Amino acid sequence: MSYVDMSTSELETLKAALETEYASHCAKGLSLNMARGKPGCDQLALSLPMLDELTSSSDLIAEDGTDCRNYGVMDGIAEAKRLMGEVMEHDPANVCVFGNSSLNIMFDLVTAGYTHGYLGSTPWCKLPEVKWLCPVPGYDRHFGITESYGIEMIPISMNENGPDMDEIERLVAEDDSIKGIWCVPQYANPTGITYSDETVHRLAEMPCAASDFRIFWDNAYCVHHLYDDEREHVADIAAACEAAGNPNRYFKFASTSKVTLPGAGIAAVAASDENIAEIKARVGVQTVGYDKMNQLRHVRFLKDAAGVDALMKKHAAIIRPKFELVARMLEEGLGNEGIATWTNPVGGYFVSFDGLEGTAKRTVELAKKAGVTMTGAGATWPYKQDPRDTNIRIAPTLPPLSELQQAMEVFVCCVKLAAVEVLLAK
Ligand code: PMP
């Protein structure tokens, strides 16, 4: 029976039962974490043979003769550019492989827009206001970057095809202070949605009042399929922008963070000729070069897109049961209560969960007290402010299956308790 149809006395009886169940969870003294999208230990183990690729007796010379032990090469060794070019479906000549974090490259590019301006346009720091489009729910660390520069973030709702394009087109056409948009176009964080071809083309083609408007195309989950026969694939923003006569509109990003070892992977940006030339010029000021040993190690281990795909299938075999457990437990626990909706992604790292209005913070608080740490409620919105307080990001990959089951039991109980509390307070 749907909770919303229950009488006050029925809700009170239910609340008492849920409180008893909740107390029994609290008594277990659990300490479980579903806060961040981290790979589990068994996933990390898949890439440990990579560490044996470079030893003191290895050939450490890249294919063009570059000695990877020494300074030099700003934009990545050729074989790493080729590898990331294959993964990102981009001409390797216009791919730069930098350090260990794509988020770091995004931060640097927002910084560049702010302090120097892109391709001769006015640096944003000299403008009275700068705004940014933020599809919601979205990735908290994206929002953290734009927030740190005082850029006003405008939430854009997501639907099953990606962000609301009617709203985006309307906003960018009339407001030249809107300088960019955060996009996770495939298996989005946290909804798992893949942008439709129409969305990609509309983003590439839409008239923008700001000539320096940039699409930050963070394809972090481009190779993270959960099911071989249900693979999704986002259309190429680069080709769409070129065809639309807006070749400089996008920056594409990817990394091997959730392919090999997060924090110890390689990250890349791909862009147009002009954008890449500007990026390379600036990077030459920023650093004397990134870690070419790690680039070499990655290429020798992964080899090419087929090598990446083979490894990703092993990851999928480990995490698929975790996503299926989450889906099953949500369905069994909350399928008939009318108090929640959630996504059933076929790739990526997250499940996006929406409870009754005004329950997300309380749910996360209850779970925390019972020893289960979730991503903070609100984190999926700019300024951590979810106006309806409904959304919670579930990250199933880190805990082992047995712990995940316990954590989800607690979570479902907390969702119900928070819902009953809100309904009784009405
Ligand atoms: N982008 C998205 C959408 C992510 O979910 C993550 C990590 N969870 C990152 C970027 C971080 O990538 P990196 O480790 O390359 O900085």
Side-chain angles (χ1 to χ4, degrees), residues 132-136 154-159 161-175 178 180-183 195 199-200 202-209 213-215 217 249:
W132 207 270
L133 304 180
C134 300
V136 286
I154 305 170
I156 302 289
S157 60
M158 289 281 283
N159 58 47
N161 295 312
D164 178 346
M165 283 310 302
D166 292 340
E167 177 72 349
I168 290 175
E169 285 167 347
R170 190 181 65 74
L171 289 167
V172 297
E174 65 194 23
D175 189 345
I178 300 176
I181 181 170
W182 291 119
C183 295
Y195 291 15
T199 299
V200 176
R202 286 174 75 178
L203 282 166
E205 288 160 19
M206 64 192 181
C208 292
F213 179 86
R214 290 289 184 277
I215 299 167
W217 197 252
R249 183 174 283 185

Short mmCIF file of all heavy atoms in Angstrom, two decimals, residues 132-136 154-159 161-175 178 180-183 195 199-200 202-209 213-215 217 249:
data_model
loop_
_atom_site.label_atom_id
_atom_site.label_comp_id
_atom_site.label_asym_id
_atom_site.label_seq_id
_atom_site.Cartn_x
_atom_site.Cartn_y
_atom_site.Cartn_z
N TRP A 132 27.10 29.75 -15.21
CA TRP A 132 27.43 28.40 -15.71
C TRP A 132 26.18 27.52 -15.62
O TRP A 132 25.44 27.61 -14.64
CB TRP A 132 28.52 27.78 -14.82
CG TRP A 132 29.39 26.77 -15.52
CD1 TRP A 132 29.17 25.43 -15.60
CD2 TRP A 132 30.61 27.04 -16.20
NE1 TRP A 132 30.21 24.85 -16.28
CE2 TRP A 132 31.10 25.80 -16.68
CE3 TRP A 132 31.35 28.19 -16.47
CZ2 TRP A 132 32.30 25.69 -17.40
CZ3 TRP A 132 32.53 28.07 -17.19
CH2 TRP A 132 32.99 26.84 -17.64
N LEU A 133 25.98 26.69 -16.62
CA LEU A 133 24.83 25.78 -16.61
C LEU A 133 25.22 24.46 -15.96
O LEU A 133 26.25 23.87 -16.31
CB LEU A 133 24.32 25.55 -18.04
CG LEU A 133 23.96 26.82 -18.82
CD1 LEU A 133 23.46 26.45 -20.22
CD2 LEU A 133 22.90 27.63 -18.07
N CYS A 134 24.40 24.02 -15.03
CA CYS A 134 24.71 22.82 -14.25
C CYS A 134 23.54 21.84 -14.30
O CYS A 134 22.57 21.97 -13.53
CB CYS A 134 24.96 23.21 -12.79
SG CYS A 134 26.34 24.34 -12.59
N PRO A 135 23.59 20.87 -15.24
CA PRO A 135 22.55 19.84 -15.23
C PRO A 135 22.47 19.16 -13.86
O PRO A 135 23.52 18.84 -13.27
CB PRO A 135 23.02 18.87 -16.32
CG PRO A 135 23.83 19.71 -17.25
CD PRO A 135 24.53 20.71 -16.35
N VAL A 136 21.25 19.00 -13.36
CA VAL A 136 21.04 18.39 -12.04
C VAL A 136 20.08 17.22 -12.10
O VAL A 136 19.13 17.24 -12.87
CB VAL A 136 20.47 19.42 -11.02
CG1 VAL A 136 21.54 20.39 -10.59
CG2 VAL A 136 19.26 20.16 -11.57
N ILE A 154 23.61 27.81 -12.57
CA ILE A 154 22.17 27.72 -12.87
C ILE A 154 21.81 26.25 -13.04
O ILE A 154 22.30 25.59 -13.96
CB ILE A 154 21.85 28.48 -14.18
CG1 ILE A 154 22.34 29.94 -14.09
CG2 ILE A 154 20.37 28.40 -14.50
CD1 ILE A 154 22.28 30.69 -15.41
N PRO A 155 20.95 25.71 -12.17
CA PRO A 155 20.57 24.30 -12.33
C PRO A 155 19.70 24.10 -13.57
O PRO A 155 18.84 24.93 -13.86
CB PRO A 155 19.75 23.99 -11.06
CG PRO A 155 19.76 25.23 -10.24
CD PRO A 155 20.27 26.36 -11.05
N ILE A 156 19.97 23.03 -14.29
CA ILE A 156 19.19 22.66 -15.47
C ILE A 156 18.68 21.24 -15.24
O ILE A 156 19.48 20.35 -14.97
CB ILE A 156 20.06 22.66 -16.76
CG1 ILE A 156 20.70 24.04 -16.99
CG2 ILE A 156 19.28 22.18 -17.97
CD1 ILE A 156 19.75 25.12 -17.42
N SER A 157 17.37 21.05 -15.37
CA SER A 157 16.87 19.71 -15.04
C SER A 157 17.27 18.69 -16.12
O SER A 157 17.43 19.03 -17.29
CB SER A 157 15.36 19.75 -14.84
OG SER A 157 14.76 20.20 -16.02
N MET A 158 17.42 17.46 -15.68
CA MET A 158 17.76 16.36 -16.59
C MET A 158 16.50 15.58 -16.92
O MET A 158 15.63 15.40 -16.07
CB MET A 158 18.72 15.39 -15.89
CG MET A 158 20.13 15.90 -15.67
SD MET A 158 21.16 15.80 -17.14
CE MET A 158 21.57 14.06 -17.20
N ASN A 159 16.41 15.11 -18.17
CA ASN A 159 15.37 14.14 -18.50
C ASN A 159 16.06 12.92 -19.11
O ASN A 159 17.30 12.83 -19.07
CB ASN A 159 14.32 14.76 -19.43
CG ASN A 159 14.95 15.28 -20.72
OD1 ASN A 159 15.75 14.60 -21.34
ND2 ASN A 159 14.61 16.51 -21.10
N ASN A 161 16.82 12.13 -21.95
CA ASN A 161 17.69 12.40 -23.11
C ASN A 161 18.88 13.28 -22.77
O ASN A 161 19.65 13.67 -23.66
CB ASN A 161 16.89 13.09 -24.22
CG ASN A 161 15.82 12.19 -24.78
OD1 ASN A 161 16.10 11.04 -25.08
ND2 ASN A 161 14.60 12.69 -24.86
N GLY A 162 19.01 13.65 -21.49
CA GLY A 162 20.08 14.57 -21.10
C GLY A 162 19.46 15.83 -20.51
O GLY A 162 18.30 15.82 -20.07
N PRO A 163 20.22 16.94 -20.49
CA PRO A 163 19.67 18.16 -19.88
C PRO A 163 18.56 18.76 -20.74
O PRO A 163 18.48 18.50 -21.94
CB PRO A 163 20.89 19.08 -19.81
CG PRO A 163 21.87 18.55 -20.80
CD PRO A 163 21.60 17.08 -20.94
N ASP A 164 17.72 19.56 -20.11
CA ASP A 164 16.57 20.19 -20.77
C ASP A 164 17.07 21.19 -21.82
O ASP A 164 17.46 22.32 -21.51
CB ASP A 164 15.74 20.92 -19.69
CG ASP A 164 14.56 21.65 -20.27
OD1 ASP A 164 14.48 21.82 -21.51
OD2 ASP A 164 13.69 22.06 -19.48
N MET A 165 17.05 20.76 -23.07
CA MET A 165 17.65 21.57 -24.15
C MET A 165 16.84 22.83 -24.46
O MET A 165 17.41 23.83 -24.88
CB MET A 165 17.84 20.72 -25.41
CG MET A 165 19.02 19.78 -25.34
SD MET A 165 20.58 20.56 -24.82
CE MET A 165 20.79 21.85 -26.04
N ASP A 166 15.53 22.77 -24.28
CA ASP A 166 14.74 23.99 -24.55
C ASP A 166 15.20 25.11 -23.62
O ASP A 166 15.40 26.24 -24.04
CB ASP A 166 13.24 23.72 -24.31
CG ASP A 166 12.67 22.77 -25.35
OD1 ASP A 166 13.29 22.63 -26.42
OD2 ASP A 166 11.62 22.16 -25.08
N GLU A 167 15.38 24.75 -22.36
CA GLU A 167 15.81 25.73 -21.36
C GLU A 167 17.23 26.24 -21.66
O GLU A 167 17.49 27.44 -21.61
CB GLU A 167 15.74 25.06 -19.98
CG GLU A 167 16.19 25.89 -18.80
CD GLU A 167 15.23 27.02 -18.44
OE1 GLU A 167 14.30 27.30 -19.22
OE2 GLU A 167 15.44 27.62 -17.37
N ILE A 168 18.11 25.31 -22.00
CA ILE A 168 19.50 25.69 -22.29
C ILE A 168 19.54 26.65 -23.49
O ILE A 168 20.19 27.70 -23.44
CB ILE A 168 20.37 24.44 -22.55
CG1 ILE A 168 20.55 23.67 -21.24
CG2 ILE A 168 21.73 24.82 -23.13
CD1 ILE A 168 21.29 22.35 -21.39
N GLU A 169 18.86 26.28 -24.56
CA GLU A 169 18.87 27.12 -25.77
C GLU A 169 18.34 28.52 -25.47
O GLU A 169 18.89 29.52 -25.93
CB GLU A 169 18.03 26.47 -26.88
CG GLU A 169 18.74 25.29 -27.52
CD GLU A 169 17.83 24.44 -28.39
OE1 GLU A 169 16.59 24.60 -28.32
OE2 GLU A 169 18.35 23.60 -29.13
N ARG A 170 17.29 28.56 -24.67
CA ARG A 170 16.69 29.86 -24.32
C ARG A 170 17.70 30.71 -23.54
O ARG A 170 17.91 31.89 -23.84
CB ARG A 170 15.43 29.62 -23.47
CG ARG A 170 14.57 30.83 -23.24
CD ARG A 170 13.36 30.48 -22.38
NE ARG A 170 13.70 30.06 -21.01
CZ ARG A 170 14.11 30.87 -20.06
NH1 ARG A 170 14.24 32.16 -20.30
NH2 ARG A 170 14.41 30.41 -18.86
N LEU A 171 18.35 30.10 -22.57
CA LEU A 171 19.27 30.85 -21.70
C LEU A 171 20.51 31.33 -22.45
O LEU A 171 20.89 32.50 -22.36
CB LEU A 171 19.69 29.99 -20.50
CG LEU A 171 18.60 29.73 -19.45
CD1 LEU A 171 19.03 28.63 -18.49
CD2 LEU A 171 18.29 31.01 -18.69
N VAL A 172 21.16 30.44 -23.20
CA VAL A 172 22.45 30.83 -23.82
C VAL A 172 22.25 31.81 -24.97
O VAL A 172 23.16 32.56 -25.30
CB VAL A 172 23.28 29.61 -24.31
CG1 VAL A 172 23.67 28.73 -23.15
CG2 VAL A 172 22.56 28.83 -25.40
N ALA A 173 21.05 31.79 -25.56
CA ALA A 173 20.81 32.70 -26.70
C ALA A 173 20.78 34.15 -26.24
O ALA A 173 21.19 35.05 -26.97
CB ALA A 173 19.50 32.34 -27.39
N GLU A 174 20.33 34.36 -25.00
CA GLU A 174 20.09 35.76 -24.60
C GLU A 174 21.10 36.28 -23.58
O GLU A 174 21.18 37.49 -23.36
CB GLU A 174 18.66 35.90 -24.04
CG GLU A 174 18.43 35.13 -22.75
CD GLU A 174 16.95 35.00 -22.40
OE1 GLU A 174 16.12 35.10 -23.32
OE2 GLU A 174 16.64 34.79 -21.21
N ASP A 175 21.90 35.41 -22.97
CA ASP A 175 22.73 35.86 -21.84
C ASP A 175 24.21 35.57 -22.13
O ASP A 175 24.65 34.43 -22.04
CB ASP A 175 22.27 35.13 -20.57
CG ASP A 175 22.93 35.69 -19.33
OD1 ASP A 175 23.92 36.43 -19.46
OD2 ASP A 175 22.47 35.35 -18.21
N ILE A 178 26.71 33.71 -19.62
CA ILE A 178 26.77 32.24 -19.45
C ILE A 178 27.93 31.72 -20.28
O ILE A 178 27.92 31.79 -21.51
CB ILE A 178 25.44 31.57 -19.87
CG1 ILE A 178 24.29 32.09 -19.03
CG2 ILE A 178 25.56 30.05 -19.76
CD1 ILE A 178 22.93 31.56 -19.43
N GLY A 180 29.62 28.56 -19.81
CA GLY A 180 29.89 27.13 -19.97
C GLY A 180 28.81 26.25 -19.38
O GLY A 180 27.84 26.73 -18.78
N ILE A 181 29.01 24.96 -19.61
CA ILE A 181 28.09 23.94 -19.07
C ILE A 181 28.91 22.71 -18.69
O ILE A 181 29.85 22.34 -19.39
CB ILE A 181 26.99 23.57 -20.11
CG1 ILE A 181 26.01 22.53 -19.52
CG2 ILE A 181 27.59 23.06 -21.42
CD1 ILE A 181 24.77 22.31 -20.39
N TRP A 182 28.55 22.12 -17.55
CA TRP A 182 29.13 20.83 -17.15
C TRP A 182 28.30 19.71 -17.77
O TRP A 182 27.08 19.69 -17.58
CB TRP A 182 29.09 20.66 -15.63
CG TRP A 182 29.99 21.56 -14.85
CD1 TRP A 182 29.59 22.48 -13.91
CD2 TRP A 182 31.42 21.62 -14.88
NE1 TRP A 182 30.69 23.11 -13.37
CE2 TRP A 182 31.83 22.59 -13.96
CE3 TRP A 182 32.39 20.93 -15.61
CZ2 TRP A 182 33.17 22.90 -13.73
CZ3 TRP A 182 33.73 21.25 -15.39
CH2 TRP A 182 34.11 22.22 -14.46
N CYS A 183 28.94 18.79 -18.47
CA CYS A 183 28.22 17.64 -19.03
C CYS A 183 28.97 16.35 -18.72
O CYS A 183 30.18 16.28 -18.92
CB CYS A 183 28.13 17.76 -20.55
SG CYS A 183 27.15 19.14 -21.13
N TYR A 195 23.31 11.00 -23.05
CA TYR A 195 22.66 12.04 -23.86
C TYR A 195 22.25 11.46 -25.22
O TYR A 195 23.02 10.72 -25.85
CB TYR A 195 23.60 13.22 -24.12
CG TYR A 195 23.94 14.08 -22.92
CD1 TYR A 195 23.71 13.68 -21.61
CD2 TYR A 195 24.54 15.33 -23.11
CE1 TYR A 195 24.06 14.49 -20.53
CE2 TYR A 195 24.89 16.15 -22.05
CZ TYR A 195 24.66 15.71 -20.76
OH TYR A 195 25.01 16.52 -19.71
N THR A 199 20.27 15.70 -28.39
CA THR A 199 20.83 16.59 -27.37
C THR A 199 22.23 17.04 -27.76
O THR A 199 22.56 18.23 -27.68
CB THR A 199 20.88 15.86 -26.01
OG1 THR A 199 19.55 15.50 -25.65
CG2 THR A 199 21.50 16.72 -24.93
N VAL A 200 23.05 16.09 -28.22
CA VAL A 200 24.43 16.42 -28.61
C VAL A 200 24.42 17.45 -29.73
O VAL A 200 25.13 18.46 -29.69
CB VAL A 200 25.19 15.14 -29.03
CG1 VAL A 200 26.59 15.49 -29.52
CG2 VAL A 200 25.26 14.15 -27.88
N ARG A 202 22.02 19.53 -30.63
CA ARG A 202 21.48 20.84 -30.21
C ARG A 202 22.52 21.62 -29.41
O ARG A 202 22.65 22.83 -29.56
CB ARG A 202 20.18 20.64 -29.41
CG ARG A 202 19.02 20.25 -30.33
CD ARG A 202 17.77 19.91 -29.55
NE ARG A 202 17.08 21.08 -29.00
CZ ARG A 202 15.94 21.02 -28.32
NH1 ARG A 202 15.36 19.84 -28.11
NH2 ARG A 202 15.37 22.11 -27.86
N LEU A 203 23.29 20.92 -28.58
CA LEU A 203 24.35 21.60 -27.81
C LEU A 203 25.39 22.20 -28.76
O LEU A 203 25.90 23.30 -28.56
CB LEU A 203 25.04 20.63 -26.86
CG LEU A 203 24.29 20.30 -25.57
CD1 LEU A 203 24.92 19.08 -24.88
CD2 LEU A 203 24.29 21.48 -24.60
N ALA A 204 25.70 21.44 -29.81
CA ALA A 204 26.73 21.89 -30.75
C ALA A 204 26.23 23.05 -31.62
O ALA A 204 27.01 23.93 -31.98
CB ALA A 204 27.14 20.71 -31.64
N GLU A 205 24.95 23.02 -31.93
CA GLU A 205 24.42 23.96 -32.93
C GLU A 205 23.80 25.22 -32.34
O GLU A 205 23.65 26.22 -33.03
CB GLU A 205 23.34 23.24 -33.77
CG GLU A 205 23.94 22.21 -34.72
CD GLU A 205 22.94 21.16 -35.19
OE1 GLU A 205 21.70 21.40 -35.08
OE2 GLU A 205 23.38 20.10 -35.65
N MET A 206 23.43 25.18 -31.08
CA MET A 206 22.61 26.29 -30.54
C MET A 206 23.36 27.63 -30.63
O MET A 206 24.55 27.71 -30.37
CB MET A 206 22.23 26.01 -29.08
CG MET A 206 23.41 25.93 -28.14
SD MET A 206 22.91 25.26 -26.55
CE MET A 206 24.48 25.34 -25.68
N PRO A 207 22.64 28.69 -31.01
CA PRO A 207 23.27 30.01 -31.02
C PRO A 207 23.56 30.44 -29.57
O PRO A 207 22.70 30.33 -28.70
CB PRO A 207 22.19 30.92 -31.64
CG PRO A 207 21.22 29.99 -32.30
CD PRO A 207 21.25 28.71 -31.52
N CYS A 208 24.79 30.89 -29.34
CA CYS A 208 25.18 31.32 -28.00
C CYS A 208 25.54 32.81 -28.03
O CYS A 208 26.34 33.23 -28.89
CB CYS A 208 26.41 30.55 -27.52
SG CYS A 208 26.13 28.82 -27.21
N ALA A 209 25.01 33.56 -27.09
CA ALA A 209 25.36 34.98 -27.02
C ALA A 209 26.85 35.14 -26.71
O ALA A 209 27.50 36.06 -27.21
CB ALA A 209 24.50 35.67 -25.96
N PHE A 213 31.64 30.64 -25.07
CA PHE A 213 30.91 29.57 -24.36
C PHE A 213 31.59 28.24 -24.63
O PHE A 213 31.96 27.92 -25.75
CB PHE A 213 29.46 29.53 -24.87
CG PHE A 213 28.62 28.45 -24.23
CD1 PHE A 213 27.97 28.68 -23.03
CD2 PHE A 213 28.51 27.19 -24.82
CE1 PHE A 213 27.21 27.68 -22.43
CE2 PHE A 213 27.75 26.19 -24.23
CZ PHE A 213 27.10 26.44 -23.03
N ARG A 214 31.76 27.44 -23.55
CA ARG A 214 32.42 26.14 -23.70
C ARG A 214 31.60 25.02 -23.06
O ARG A 214 31.10 25.17 -21.93
CB ARG A 214 33.80 26.14 -23.02
CG ARG A 214 34.84 26.99 -23.69
CD ARG A 214 35.30 26.40 -25.03
NE ARG A 214 36.38 27.17 -25.61
CZ ARG A 214 36.22 28.28 -26.36
NH1 ARG A 214 35.02 28.75 -26.60
NH2 ARG A 214 37.27 28.90 -26.86
N ILE A 215 31.53 23.92 -23.78
CA ILE A 215 30.91 22.70 -23.25
C ILE A 215 32.03 21.88 -22.59
O ILE A 215 32.97 21.46 -23.29
CB ILE A 215 30.25 21.88 -24.37
CG1 ILE A 215 29.15 22.70 -25.05
CG2 ILE A 215 29.72 20.57 -23.82
CD1 ILE A 215 28.66 22.09 -26.37
N TRP A 217 32.88 18.65 -21.63
CA TRP A 217 32.34 17.33 -21.99
C TRP A 217 33.15 16.28 -21.25
O TRP A 217 34.13 15.76 -21.75
CB TRP A 217 32.48 17.18 -23.50
CG TRP A 217 31.68 16.12 -24.17
CD1 TRP A 217 32.15 14.95 -24.70
CD2 TRP A 217 30.28 16.15 -24.46
NE1 TRP A 217 31.11 14.24 -25.28
CE2 TRP A 217 29.95 14.96 -25.15
CE3 TRP A 217 29.25 17.06 -24.19
CZ2 TRP A 217 28.67 14.67 -25.58
CZ3 TRP A 217 27.98 16.78 -24.62
CH2 TRP A 217 27.69 15.59 -25.30
N ARG A 249 33.91 25.08 -29.50
CA ARG A 249 32.93 25.17 -28.43
C ARG A 249 33.13 24.16 -27.30
O ARG A 249 32.56 24.31 -26.21
CB ARG A 249 31.52 25.01 -29.01
CG ARG A 249 30.44 25.16 -27.98
CD ARG A 249 29.05 25.15 -28.57
NE ARG A 249 28.73 26.43 -29.19
CZ ARG A 249 27.54 26.73 -29.71
NH1 ARG A 249 26.58 25.83 -29.69
NH2 ARG A 249 27.32 27.90 -30.25
#
